[in-house]
Amino acid sequence: MSEVWLVFLYALATALATGLGAIPFAIVGTVSERFQAYAGAAAAGLMLGASFGLVAEGTGYGRGETLVGALAGVAFILVTQRLMGDREGHDVVFEAAQGEGARRMLLMVVVMTVHSFAEGVAVGVSFGGGLALATVITVAIALHNVPEGVAITAVLRPQGVPVWRCAGWSVFSSLPQPLMAVPAFLFVETFRTALPYGLGFAAGAMVFMVLVELLPEAYKQGDRAQVATIATLSTVAMVLVQQWL
Ligand SMILES: [Zn+2]
């Protein structure tokens, strides 16, 4: 029983770490169009880098399963976009925004929240290896969550969402981690089978989201070469951080 609580508390700590990603944006005062472009490019790079990590981990459990999961992730975004009304003039409301901006924010929060389910399962499954391993993995996921909080805030903050609420949505997006870690820990074998599909799904959804939403918008708002440079560097940085962990 106490071990289950430990899994939950560890995974809850990783979720709270996501909120730290909003901190850099507390310093930036004005939200210019150029800043929006750079923030979007950085978010795109961080998500691409995180996706590489998810694919690498997923293929360790099963290559075909990871690919199938990725296809499902792409389908998920397409369906979600359709449900939210991909065309002009639909009144999706998120925070104080409406329309195009609200749609992108909502999609971002949905994608990042859904991808956390697979990571929660990964945490729970790996807890089977003992407390020392569990601690290492918890720290790794927590550190990986901080730039994801940056990515979420980079999309929400330019739309005028207050920094503290960006932090709140960042933590929210990681809540599936404590929720999924416990059942995955208790029923390791069942969840291990589903894990490559889940990790592939998370990666597919994130890469597609970057390509269909974040980068096109960033290119519209900012200089092409600068947007591409920021996206490239943040992708590489995220991959390096994950390898270092
Ligand atoms: Zn992640």
Side-chain angles (χ1 to χ4, degrees):
M1 186 62 200
S2 61
E3 219 178 4
V4 169
W5 270 109
L6 201 63
V7 172
F8 180 77
L9 290 176
Y10 268 45
L12 186 64
T14 67
L16 293 176
T18 319
L20 298 175
I23 289 176
F25 293 86
I27 303 156
V28 184
T30 54
V31 179
S32 63
E33 188 148 274
R34 179 186 282 231
F35 171 76
Q36 288 186 42
Y38 294 163
L46 294 173
M47 284 170 73
L48 284 180
S51 303
F52 292 165
L54 291 170
V55 170
E57 197 181 339
T59 50
Y61 293 94
R63 288 176 193 172
E65 292 89 333
T66 305
L67 185 60
V68 169
L71 285 172
V74 171
F76 172 78
I77 301 289
L78 288 171
V79 169
T80 309
Q81 276 188 322
R82 176 147 294 201
L83 288 177
M84 291 198 302
D86 205 8
R87 306 266 167 252
E88 305 289 318
H90 283 260
D91 46 358
V92 172
V93 179
F94 186 87
E95 289 287 340
Q98 242 183 338
E100 172 81 10
R103 198 171 54 76
R104 192 175 313 110
M105 287 195 285
L106 184 60
L107 193 61
M108 184 69 179
V109 170
V110 167
V111 166
M112 297 310 279
T113 305
V114 166
H115 111 279
S116 295
F117 278 91
E119 289 177 348
V121 171
V123 172
V125 167
S126 57
F127 259 77
L131 188 62
L133 177 70
T135 306
V136 171
I137 283 158
T138 303
V139 171
I141 297 264
L143 288 175
H144 152 109
N145 279 348
V146 176
E148 290 186 351
V150 173
I152 290 168
T153 308
V155 172
L156 268 56
R157 182 73 192 111
Q159 302 288 333
V161 179
V163 170
W164 69 274
R165 291 191 66 88
C166 294
W169 282 115
S170 299
V171 173
F172 173 86
S173 77
S174 287
L175 286 183
Q177 288 173 3
L179 293 180
M180 294 308 291
V182 171
F185 172 69
L186 290 174
F187 310 103
V188 169
E189 287 313 317
T190 313
F191 278 88
R192 201 196 303 271
T193 316
L195 194 51
Y197 293 103
L199 292 169
F201 181 94
M206 283 166 74
V207 171
F208 193 76
M209 164 91 189
V210 164
L211 296 179
V212 82
E213 286 280 341
L214 297 186
L215 282 181
E217 184 63 21
Y219 282 128
K220 244 193 276 173
Q221 291 169 323
D223 175 73
R224 179 170 283 265
Q226 289 172 349
V227 165
T229 304
I230 291 172
T232 304
L233 292 181
S234 47
T235 303
V236 174
M238 187 68 171
V239 171
L240 289 179
V241 165
Q242 288 177 109
Q243 277 190 338
W244 171 67
L245 294 170

Coordinates of all heavy atoms in Angstrom, one line a residue, residues 72-129:
A72 N -2.0 6.3 -35.3 CA -3.2 6.6 -34.5 C -3.1 8.0 -33.9 O -4.1 8.7 -33.8 CB -3.3 5.6 -33.4
G73 N -1.9 8.4 -33.5 CA -1.7 9.8 -33.0 C -2.0 10.9 -34.1 O -2.6 11.9 -33.8
V74 N -1.5 10.6 -35.3 CA -1.9 11.5 -36.4 C -3.4 11.6 -36.6 O -4.0 12.7 -36.8 CB -1.1 11.1 -37.7 CG1 -1.6 11.9 -38.9 CG2 0.4 11.2 -37.6
A75 N -4.0 10.4 -36.7 CA -5.4 10.3 -36.9 C -6.2 11.1 -35.7 O -7.2 11.8 -36.0 CB -5.9 8.9 -36.9
F76 N -5.6 11.0 -34.5 CA -6.2 11.7 -33.4 C -6.3 13.2 -33.6 O -7.3 13.8 -33.3 CB -5.5 11.3 -32.1 CG -5.9 12.1 -30.9 CD1 -7.1 11.8 -30.2 CD2 -5.2 13.1 -30.4 CE1 -7.5 12.5 -29.1 CE2 -5.5 13.9 -29.3 CZ -6.7 13.6 -28.7
I77 N -5.1 13.7 -34.0 CA -5.1 15.2 -34.2 C -6.1 15.6 -35.3 O -6.8 16.6 -35.2 CB -3.7 15.7 -34.7 CG1 -2.7 15.3 -33.6 CG2 -3.6 17.2 -34.9 CD1 -2.8 16.0 -32.3
L78 N -6.1 14.8 -36.4 CA -7.0 15.2 -37.5 C -8.4 15.2 -37.1 O -9.2 16.1 -37.4 CB -6.8 14.2 -38.7 CG -5.5 14.3 -39.5 CD1 -5.3 13.1 -40.4 CD2 -5.5 15.6 -40.2
V79 N -8.8 14.2 -36.3 CA -10.2 14.1 -35.8 C -10.5 15.2 -34.8 O -11.5 15.9 -34.9 CB -10.4 12.7 -35.1 CG1 -11.8 12.7 -34.4 CG2 -10.4 11.6 -36.1
T80 N -9.5 15.5 -33.9 CA -9.7 16.6 -32.9 C -9.8 17.9 -33.6 O -10.7 18.7 -33.3 CB -8.5 16.6 -32.0 OG1 -8.3 15.3 -31.4 CG2 -8.8 17.6 -30.8
Q81 N -9.0 18.1 -34.7 CA -9.1 19.4 -35.4 C -10.5 19.5 -36.1 O -11.1 20.6 -36.1 CB -8.0 19.4 -36.5 CG -6.7 19.9 -36.0 CD -5.7 20.1 -37.2 OE1 -5.7 19.4 -38.1 NE2 -4.9 21.1 -37.0
R82 N -11.0 18.4 -36.6 CA -12.3 18.5 -37.3 C -13.4 18.8 -36.3 O -14.2 19.6 -36.5 CB -12.5 17.1 -38.0 CG -13.9 17.0 -38.6 CD -13.8 16.2 -39.8 NE -13.1 16.8 -40.9 CZ -13.2 16.4 -42.2 NH1 -14.1 15.6 -42.6 NH2 -12.5 17.0 -43.1
L83 N -13.3 18.1 -35.1 CA -14.3 18.4 -34.1 C -14.3 19.8 -33.6 O -15.3 20.4 -33.3 CB -14.0 17.4 -32.9 CG -14.3 15.9 -33.1 CD1 -14.0 15.1 -31.9 CD2 -15.8 15.7 -33.5
M84 N -13.1 20.4 -33.6 CA -13.0 21.8 -33.1 C -13.3 22.8 -34.2 O -13.4 24.0 -33.9 CB -11.6 22.1 -32.5 CG -11.3 21.3 -31.2 SD -9.9 22.0 -30.3 CE -8.6 21.9 -31.5
G85 N -13.5 22.3 -35.4 CA -13.8 23.2 -36.5 C -12.6 23.8 -37.1 O -12.1 24.8 -36.7
D86 N -12.0 23.1 -38.1 CA -10.7 23.6 -38.7 C -10.9 24.8 -39.5 O -10.0 25.6 -39.8 CB -10.2 22.4 -39.6 CG -8.6 22.6 -39.7 OD1 -8.1 23.4 -39.0 OD2 -8.1 21.8 -40.5
R87 N -12.2 25.1 -40.0 CA -12.4 26.2 -40.8 C -12.6 27.5 -40.0 O -12.7 27.5 -38.8 CB -13.7 26.0 -41.7 CG -13.6 24.7 -42.4 CD -13.2 24.9 -43.8 NE -12.8 23.6 -44.5 CZ -11.6 23.2 -44.7 NH1 -10.6 24.0 -44.4 NH2 -11.3 22.0 -45.3
E88 N -12.6 28.6 -40.7 CA -12.8 29.9 -40.1 C -14.2 30.1 -39.5 O -15.1 29.4 -39.9 CB -12.7 31.0 -41.1 CG -11.4 31.0 -41.9 CD -10.2 31.4 -41.1 OE1 -10.3 32.3 -40.3 OE2 -9.1 30.7 -41.2
G89 N -14.3 31.0 -38.5 CA -15.6 31.4 -38.0 C -16.2 30.5 -36.9 O -17.3 30.8 -36.5
H90 N -15.5 29.4 -36.5 CA -16.1 28.7 -35.4 C -15.6 29.3 -34.1 O -14.5 29.7 -34.0 CB -15.7 27.2 -35.5 CG -16.4 26.4 -36.6 ND1 -17.5 25.6 -36.3 CD2 -16.3 26.4 -37.9 CE1 -17.9 25.1 -37.4 NE2 -17.2 25.6 -38.4
D91 N -16.5 29.2 -33.2 CA -16.2 29.9 -31.9 C -15.7 29.0 -30.8 O -16.4 28.9 -29.8 CB -17.4 30.8 -31.5 CG -18.7 30.1 -31.6 OD1 -18.7 28.9 -32.0 OD2 -19.7 30.7 -31.2
V92 N -14.6 28.4 -31.0 CA -13.9 27.7 -29.9 C -13.5 28.7 -28.9 O -12.9 29.7 -29.3 CB -12.7 26.8 -30.4 CG1 -12.0 26.3 -29.2 CG2 -13.2 25.7 -31.3
V93 N -13.8 28.5 -27.6 CA -13.3 29.5 -26.6 C -12.4 28.8 -25.7 O -12.6 27.7 -25.2 CB -14.6 30.0 -25.8 CG1 -14.1 31.0 -24.7 CG2 -15.6 30.7 -26.7
F94 N -11.2 29.5 -25.4 CA -10.2 29.0 -24.5 C -9.6 30.2 -23.8 O -9.2 31.1 -24.4 CB -9.2 28.2 -25.2 CG -8.2 27.5 -24.3 CD1 -8.5 26.3 -23.7 CD2 -7.0 28.1 -23.9 CE1 -7.6 25.6 -22.9 CE2 -6.2 27.5 -23.0 CZ -6.4 26.3 -22.5
E95 N -9.7 30.2 -22.4 CA -9.3 31.3 -21.7 C -10.0 32.5 -22.2 O -11.2 32.4 -22.4 CB -7.8 31.5 -21.7 CG -7.0 30.4 -20.9 CD -7.1 30.6 -19.4 OE1 -7.4 31.7 -19.0 OE2 -6.8 29.7 -18.7
A96 N -9.3 33.7 -22.5 CA -10.1 34.9 -22.9 C -10.2 34.9 -24.4 O -10.8 35.8 -25.0 CB -9.4 36.1 -22.4
A97 N -9.5 33.9 -25.1 CA -9.4 34.0 -26.6 C -10.6 33.2 -27.3 O -11.2 32.4 -26.7 CB -8.1 33.4 -27.0
Q98 N -10.7 33.6 -28.6 CA -11.8 32.9 -29.4 C -11.2 32.6 -30.7 O -10.2 33.3 -31.1 CB -13.0 33.9 -29.5 CG -14.2 33.3 -28.9 CD -15.4 34.3 -29.2 OE1 -15.2 35.5 -29.4 NE2 -16.6 33.8 -29.1
G99 N -11.8 31.7 -31.5 CA -11.4 31.5 -32.8 C -10.1 30.8 -33.0 O -9.7 29.9 -32.2
E100 N -9.3 31.2 -34.0 CA -8.0 30.6 -34.4 C -7.0 30.4 -33.2 O -6.5 29.3 -33.0 CB -7.4 31.5 -35.4 CG -5.9 31.1 -35.8 CD -5.9 30.0 -36.8 OE1 -7.0 29.6 -37.3 OE2 -4.8 29.4 -37.1
G101 N -6.8 31.5 -32.4 CA -5.9 31.4 -31.3 C -6.4 30.4 -30.2 O -5.6 29.6 -29.7
A102 N -7.7 30.5 -29.9 CA -8.2 29.6 -28.9 C -8.1 28.1 -29.4 O -7.8 27.2 -28.6 CB -9.7 29.9 -28.7
R103 N -8.3 27.9 -30.7 CA -8.3 26.5 -31.2 C -6.8 26.0 -31.0 O -6.7 24.8 -30.7 CB -8.6 26.6 -32.7 CG -9.0 25.3 -33.3 CD -9.6 25.5 -34.7 NE -8.7 26.2 -35.6 CZ -7.6 25.7 -36.1 NH1 -7.3 24.4 -35.9 NH2 -6.8 26.4 -36.9
R104 N -5.8 26.8 -31.3 CA -4.5 26.3 -31.2 C -4.1 26.0 -29.8 O -3.5 25.0 -29.5 CB -3.5 27.3 -31.8 CG -2.1 26.8 -32.0 CD -1.1 27.8 -32.7 NE -1.7 28.3 -33.9 CZ -2.1 29.6 -34.0 NH1 -1.9 30.4 -33.0 NH2 -2.6 30.0 -35.1
M105 N -4.5 26.9 -28.9 CA -4.3 26.7 -27.4 C -4.9 25.4 -26.9 O -4.3 24.6 -26.2 CB -4.8 27.9 -26.6 CG -3.9 29.1 -26.8 SD -4.3 30.3 -25.5 CE -5.8 31.0 -26.0
L106 N -6.2 25.2 -27.3 CA -6.9 24.0 -26.9 C -6.3 22.8 -27.4 O -6.0 21.8 -26.7 CB -8.4 24.1 -27.3 CG -9.3 23.0 -26.8 CD1 -9.3 23.0 -25.3 CD2 -10.7 23.2 -27.4
L107 N -5.9 22.8 -28.7 CA -5.2 21.6 -29.3 C -3.9 21.3 -28.6 O -3.6 20.2 -28.3 CB -5.0 21.9 -30.8 CG -4.6 20.7 -31.6 CD1 -5.7 19.6 -31.6 CD2 -4.3 21.1 -33.1
M108 N -3.2 22.4 -28.3 CA -1.9 22.2 -27.6 C -2.1 21.5 -26.2 O -1.4 20.6 -25.9 CB -1.2 23.6 -27.4 CG 0.1 23.6 -26.7 SD 1.3 22.8 -27.9 CE 2.8 23.0 -26.9
V109 N -3.1 22.0 -25.4 CA -3.3 21.5 -24.1 C -3.8 20.0 -24.2 O -3.3 19.1 -23.5 CB -4.3 22.3 -23.3 CG1 -4.8 21.6 -22.0 CG2 -3.7 23.7 -23.0
V110 N -4.7 19.7 -25.2 CA -5.2 18.4 -25.4 C -4.0 17.4 -25.8 O -3.9 16.4 -25.2 CB -6.3 18.4 -26.5 CG1 -6.6 16.9 -27.0 CG2 -7.5 19.0 -26.0
V111 N -3.2 17.9 -26.8 CA -2.1 17.0 -27.3 C -1.1 16.7 -26.1 O -0.7 15.5 -25.9 CB -1.4 17.7 -28.4 CG1 0.0 17.0 -28.7 CG2 -2.2 17.6 -29.7
M112 N -0.7 17.7 -25.4 CA 0.3 17.5 -24.3 C -0.3 16.7 -23.2 O 0.4 15.9 -22.6 CB 0.8 18.9 -23.8 CG 1.5 19.7 -24.9 SD 2.8 18.8 -25.8 CE 4.1 18.9 -24.6
T113 N -1.6 16.9 -22.9 CA -2.2 16.1 -21.9 C -2.3 14.6 -22.3 O -2.0 13.7 -21.5 CB -3.7 16.6 -21.5 OG1 -3.6 18.0 -21.2 CG2 -4.3 15.9 -20.4
V114 N -2.7 14.4 -23.5 CA -2.8 13.0 -24.0 C -1.5 12.3 -24.0 O -1.4 11.1 -23.7 CB -3.5 13.0 -25.4 CG1 -3.4 11.6 -26.1 CG2 -5.0 13.4 -25.3
H115 N -0.4 13.0 -24.4 CA 0.9 12.4 -24.5 C 1.4 12.0 -23.1 O 2.2 11.1 -23.0 CB 1.9 13.3 -25.3 CG 2.9 13.9 -24.5 ND1 2.8 15.0 -23.7 CD2 4.2 13.6 -24.2 CE1 3.9 15.3 -23.1 NE2 4.8 14.5 -23.4
S116 N 0.9 12.7 -22.1 CA 1.3 12.4 -20.7 C 0.8 11.0 -20.2 O 1.4 10.4 -19.3 CB 0.8 13.5 -19.7 OG 1.4 14.7 -20.0
F117 N -0.3 10.5 -20.8 CA -0.8 9.2 -20.4 C 0.3 8.2 -20.6 O 0.5 7.4 -19.7 CB -2.1 8.9 -21.2 CG -3.3 9.5 -20.6 CD1 -3.8 10.8 -21.1 CD2 -4.1 8.9 -19.6 CE1 -4.9 11.4 -20.6 CE2 -5.2 9.5 -19.1 CZ -5.6 10.7 -19.6
A118 N 0.9 8.2 -21.8 CA 1.9 7.2 -22.1 C 3.1 7.3 -21.2 O 3.6 6.3 -20.8 CB 2.3 7.3 -23.6
E119 N 3.5 8.5 -20.9 CA 4.6 8.7 -20.0 C 4.3 8.3 -18.6 O 5.2 7.7 -17.9 CB 5.0 10.2 -20.0 CG 5.7 10.6 -21.3 CD 6.0 12.0 -21.4 OE1 5.6 12.8 -20.6 OE2 6.7 12.4 -22.4
G120 N 3.0 8.5 -18.1 CA 2.6 8.0 -16.8 C 2.7 6.4 -16.8 O 3.2 5.9 -15.8
V121 N 2.3 5.8 -17.9 CA 2.5 4.3 -17.9 C 3.9 3.9 -17.9 O 4.3 3.0 -17.2 CB 1.8 3.8 -19.2 CG1 2.1 2.3 -19.4 CG2 0.3 4.0 -19.2
A122 N 4.8 4.7 -18.6 CA 6.2 4.4 -18.6 C 6.8 4.5 -17.2 O 7.6 3.6 -16.8 CB 6.9 5.3 -19.6
V123 N 6.4 5.5 -16.5 CA 6.9 5.6 -15.1 C 6.4 4.4 -14.2 O 7.2 3.8 -13.6 CB 6.3 7.0 -14.5 CG1 6.7 7.0 -13.0 CG2 6.9 8.2 -15.2
G124 N 5.1 4.1 -14.3 CA 4.6 3.0 -13.5 C 5.3 1.7 -13.8 O 5.6 0.9 -12.9
V125 N 5.5 1.4 -15.1 CA 6.1 0.1 -15.5 C 7.5 0.1 -15.0 O 7.9 -1.0 -14.5 CB 6.0 0.0 -17.1 CG1 6.9 -1.1 -17.5 CG2 4.6 -0.3 -17.5
S126 N 8.2 1.2 -15.1 CA 9.6 1.2 -14.7 C 9.8 1.1 -13.2 O 10.9 0.7 -12.7 CB 10.4 2.4 -15.2 OG 9.7 3.5 -14.8
F127 N 8.8 1.4 -12.4 CA 8.8 1.3 -11.0 C 9.0 -0.1 -10.5 O 9.4 -0.3 -9.3 CB 7.6 1.9 -10.3 CG 7.8 3.3 -9.8 CD1 7.8 4.4 -10.6 CD2 8.0 3.5 -8.4 CE1 8.0 5.7 -10.2 CE2 8.2 4.8 -7.9 CZ 8.2 5.9 -8.8
G128 N 8.7 -1.1 -11.3 CA 9.0 -2.5 -11.0 C 10.4 -2.8 -10.7 O 10.7 -3.8 -10.0
G129 N 11.3 -1.9 -11.2 CA 12.8 -2.2 -11.0 C 13.4 -1.7 -9.7 O 14.6 -1.7 -9.6

